[in-house]
Amino acid sequence: MGIAADIAIIIVASLVGGLVALRLKQPLVIGYILAGIFVGPYTGGITITEIHDIELLAEIGVSLLLFGLGLEFSFKELQPVRKIALIGTPIQIILTIAYGTLIGQVLGLDWVASLWFGSLISLSSTMVIVKTLMSQGLMGTLSSRVMIGMLIVQDLAVVPLMIILPQLGDLEAGLPILGVAVVKAVVFLVLMFVVGTRVMPILMRQIARWNSRELFLLSVTAIGLGVGYGTYLFGLSFAFGAFVAGMVLSESDYSYQALADIIPLRDLFSLLFFVTVGMLLDPSFVIDNLGTILLVVALVTVGKGLIFGILTRLFGYGNIAPFAVGLGLFQVGEFAFVLARVGFSSGAIDTYLYSLVLSVAIMTMVLTPFLSRLAGPLYKFRKSMGSHEQLSTINLPDDELSNHVVILGGGRVGYYVAQVLKQLDLAFVVIELDQRRIELLKEDGFPIIYGDAAQPVVLETANVEKAALLLITLPSTSSTQSIVTHVRTSSPELRIVARAESIEELQHLHQLGVYEVVQPEFEAGLEIVRQALLHLNIPIDEIRRLNDNAREELYAPLYRA
């Protein structure tokens, strides 16, 4: 059956590999790579016959991967950590490339191969980090924001690296080619900006009006792959065009639906790509070079971790953040596979270097969930040695905080609560991370701790163990759940009142032991109903009864659970 049989074998093998990875609590990408090793030419048994054709299909996977990245890109996500993301990440990439080049020279590689090696290890894994943060309940923390911001910029760096690295083999011929490529890229970006802002919205609006899900999916795919093919004809990378198309489409009103529709197709073709990555790895290579691989894993883990940790500290993030970022982003990421395939296809890197990078990437990915858990213990150890910086506090009383109210978040809700508590002369402290809100709270003389409420050290500074009440006014679901998990470990009897953005979150918080949960949209709806019924001259007792019944229907099942 040729390629049809090969695709069937790949999908079944990927399913098995994915289930194994899921069972071992590892990223699915590792399962796909293992599936590729199993059906590849080096292991015997069931083997793919049309390897070249599968590789061609895998190129579509790379393009759709970058198209999806463009659709997901958002400057808003970079805003809170923009300095370290936009300035620190390029510095990190340059430092890691230099460090990797040095390792390559020690390993006996020539300078071009060493530079490729440094570039390949400079990228970290978005898939692994997001999964790790979610499983550990740390999404929404300051450290996680720093990591996600840096990962976004790293992912963007893949595009220029794909253009620059293939020209390293012959700089005399490569520099003019690179210069021409830069000019072409600028012209292409200008054209895409004009088309994307003037033509594409009209086209997408018309297609959406036809109300055809199939046609919408087809149009989104055609835009991504069509623009990619256009850049290929233009003399640039196919994947680069797909990425730019995604970025342009991300600014339209249809970006979320486009992303939702393209994800299954992207994941399917990406699966083919990661399987082809595994097909090129010879298991005997790992056995024969295990000492070298373990040495490189150790060097990459320590060196890259230190680069991330030191940069995080230099950009003003203290306490646990340098440990969390360094032990979170040390691994070699999945986009290294994309670059490695480009280098392998162009002959810039040989089978040895390709297999070495692939082996190191897989091992560092597997190590990430385990090493990232060491951030807390290492930070506590440093504190026990008397070497830790104090958190910034404002208007805190001289006496130790005790029997007080801890308010997490100084936004509109937290600010109003603080005003009421101050009028009643009750002891409280506000924990806030946003500097603009800090200034407003400071003007009113509120006691403040500047810090990320999801970090245990900040809660310790607020003396949460001796608090009478904890109020979580943060809108972030992940932050709230992370805080509750930490507090329930150290102070299981502390009463917590939390804000829930959905009924599902309300139920989840109750399962975590939070018995006083407020759902703002529900309460706002009740107030709007109350005002409407008053206007319609409904008796106040009847209105109160209706509101009480509504609250009973929403909240009572939780307390009976």
Side-chain angles (χ1 to χ4, degrees):
M1 290 179 65
I3 191 171
D6 287 343
I7 291 175
I9 291 170
I10 287 173
I11 291 176
V12 173
S14 299
L15 174 61
V16 175
L19 290 174
V20 171
L22 197 64
R23 186 71 176 175
L24 297 176
K25 297 183 179 179
Q26 296 299 321
L28 291 178
V29 62
I30 292 179
Y32 299 154
I33 292 172
L34 292 176
I37 295 172
F38 180 75
V39 300
Y42 301 107
T43 53
I46 302 175
T47 304
I48 298 301
T49 56
E50 306 293 336
I51 294 178
H52 179 67
D53 292 339
I54 296 297
E55 288 177 341
L56 293 177
L57 287 176
E59 293 300 321
I60 298 177
V62 175
S63 300
L64 290 177
L65 200 63
L66 289 173
F67 180 54
L69 175 64
L71 280 171
E72 293 177 289
F73 177 71
S74 172
F75 283 106
K76 293 180 181 177
E77 294 184 23
L78 292 178
Q79 189 65 19
V81 291
R82 58 188 178 279
K83 287 185 180 179
I84 190 170
L86 298 175
I87 301 174
T89 307
I91 295 173
Q92 171 268 314
I93 290 174
I94 292 170
L95 290 176
T96 309
I97 289 175
Y99 176 66
T101 302
L102 181 61
I103 294 176
Q105 293 289 292
V106 172
L107 293 175
L109 303 175
D110 61 66
W111 78 269
V112 174
S114 297
L115 204 55
W116 268 92
F117 178 76
S119 302
L120 293 171
I121 69 167
S122 69
L123 304 174
S124 303
S125 174
T126 304
M127 293 181 186
V128 172
I129 287 301
V130 171
K131 176 180 173 57
T132 300
L133 290 172
M134 290 179 66
S135 65
Q136 295 178 2
L138 295 176
M139 286 296 286
T141 63
L142 178 60
S143 301
S144 73
R145 293 174 194 170
V146 171
M147 285 188 267
I148 296 300
M150 297 186 81
L151 285 167
I152 289 173
V153 177
Q154 275 193 0
D155 290 347
L156 295 179
V158 173
V159 178
L161 286 174
M162 289 178 70
I163 297 174
I164 295 171
L165 289 175
Q167 310 304 328
L168 294 176
D170 186 358
L171 284 180
E172 282 192 25
L175 285 176
I177 294 173
L178 183 59
V180 172
V182 170
V183 173
K184 286 183 177 180
V186 171
V187 173
F188 172 73
L189 288 172
V190 171
L191 289 173
M192 277 302 300
F193 176 77
V194 174
V195 172
T197 54
R198 305 243 178 122
V199 178
M200 205 172 289
I202 298 173
L203 176 64
M204 294 302 296
R205 193 179 305 116
Q206 183 59 49
I207 292 172
R209 283 176 181 168
W210 290 332
N211 201 28
S212 171
R213 185 71 177 268
E214 293 86 352
L215 192 59
F216 186 84
L217 171 61
L218 183 60
S219 64
V220 170
T221 309
I223 289 172
L225 297 182
V227 172
Y229 183 64
T231 56
Y232 172 74
L233 296 177
F234 204 63
L236 295 170
S237 163
F238 192 106
F240 172 67
F243 172 74
V244 174
M247 280 193 67
V248 171
L249 196 57
S250 72
E251 299 301 318
S252 75
D253 296 333
Y254 307 98
S255 60
Y256 292 109
Q257 186 59 47
L259 182 61
D261 284 352
I262 204 68
I263 281 176
L265 192 63
R266 178 199 70 183
D267 290 347
L268 182 60
F269 277 96
S270 298
L271 176 153
L272 292 176
F273 167 73
F274 289 117
V275 169
T276 60
V277 166
M279 285 164 58
L280 291 176
L281 178 64
D282 184 356
S284 63
F285 171 87
V286 177
I287 297 172
D288 295 339
N289 298 274
L290 186 59
T292 302
I293 293 171
L294 292 177
L295 174 63
V296 175
V297 167
L299 290 173
V300 169
T301 300
V302 175
K304 196 173 174 184
L306 284 174
I307 289 172
F308 273 108
I310 292 170
L311 277 175
T312 302
R313 187 68 191 93
L314 291 176
F315 274 83
Y317 298 94
N319 294 297
I320 198 174
F323 292 96
V325 175
L327 290 169
L329 296 180
F330 70 88
Q331 78 287 128
V332 180
E334 59 274 357
F335 275 110
F337 303 143
V338 177
L339 281 177
R341 284 301 305 272
V342 172
F344 188 79
S345 300
S346 63
I349 63 177
D350 57 17
T351 305
Y352 174 83
L353 182 54
Y354 181 90
S355 300
L356 178 64
V357 171
L358 183 57
S359 304
V360 171
I362 293 173
M363 287 189 180
T364 53
M365 283 181 174
V366 172
L367 285 173
T368 299
F370 304 103
L371 294 187
S372 64
R373 294 183 184 275
L374 297 178
L378 284 176
Y379 176 67
K380 288 181 180 179
F381 175 74
R382 196 186 76 162
K383 280 179 62 181
S384 69
M385 301 297 289
S387 173
H388 66 282
E389 64 271 28
Q390 295 295 321
L391 289 171
S392 176
T393 59
I394 303 167
N395 299 326
L396 284 191
D398 295 331
D399 298 333
E400 183 186 53
L401 289 166
S402 180
N403 200 34
H404 56 296
V405 179
V406 180
I407 305 171
L408 306 188
R412 287 173 294 181
V413 177
Y415 184 85
Y416 176 72
V417 173
Q419 279 186 317
V420 173
L421 293 178
K422 187 175 183 181
Q423 290 171 7
L424 296 174
D425 199 26
L426 295 172
F428 70 93
V429 62
V430 181
I431 299 177
E432 179 54 59
L433 186 61
D434 191 319
Q435 188 59 44
R436 294 170 298 177
R437 292 174 182 169
I438 289 285
E439 294 301 325
L440 292 173
L441 295 164
K442 184 179 177 181
E443 287 177 8
D444 287 333
F446 296 152
I448 313 161
I449 295 174
Y450 174 76
D452 182 1
Q455 296 290 0
V457 65
V458 180
L459 296 174
E460 289 173 14
T461 304
N463 209 8
V464 72
E465 292 183 3
K466 294 186 178 180
L469 185 65
L470 177 65
L471 305 179
I472 305 177
T473 68
L474 304 172
S476 170
T477 301
S478 54
S479 294
T480 299
Q481 293 177 3
S482 177
I483 291 164
V484 170
T485 302
H486 288 311
V487 171
R488 277 288 166 256
T489 302
S490 60
S491 307
E493 302 301 322
L494 179 63
R495 304 297 293 183
I496 302 175
V497 179
R499 169 180 175 175
E501 292 302 298
S502 66
I503 303 299
E504 291 76 14
E505 184 190 353
L506 186 150
Q507 294 170 339
H508 184 61
L509 288 174
H510 185 268
Q511 292 171 358
L512 291 175
V514 181
Y515 297 102
E516 289 82 21
V517 185
V518 178
Q519 215 279 314
E521 292 181 359
F522 174 75
E523 296 295 338
L526 287 184
E527 179 59 22
I528 290 173
V529 169
R530 190 182 75 84
Q531 295 286 352
L533 295 180
L534 284 173
H535 182 75
L536 296 172
N537 298 319
I538 303 298
I540 188 68
D541 290 341
E542 179 66 13
I543 296 173
R544 187 178 295 113
R545 185 186 66 80
L546 290 171
N547 280 2
D548 289 344
N549 288 342
R551 286 194 176 92
E552 172 77 13
E553 185 177 342
L554 176 65
Y555 295 117
L558 298 179
Y559 301 109
R560 291 197 297 264

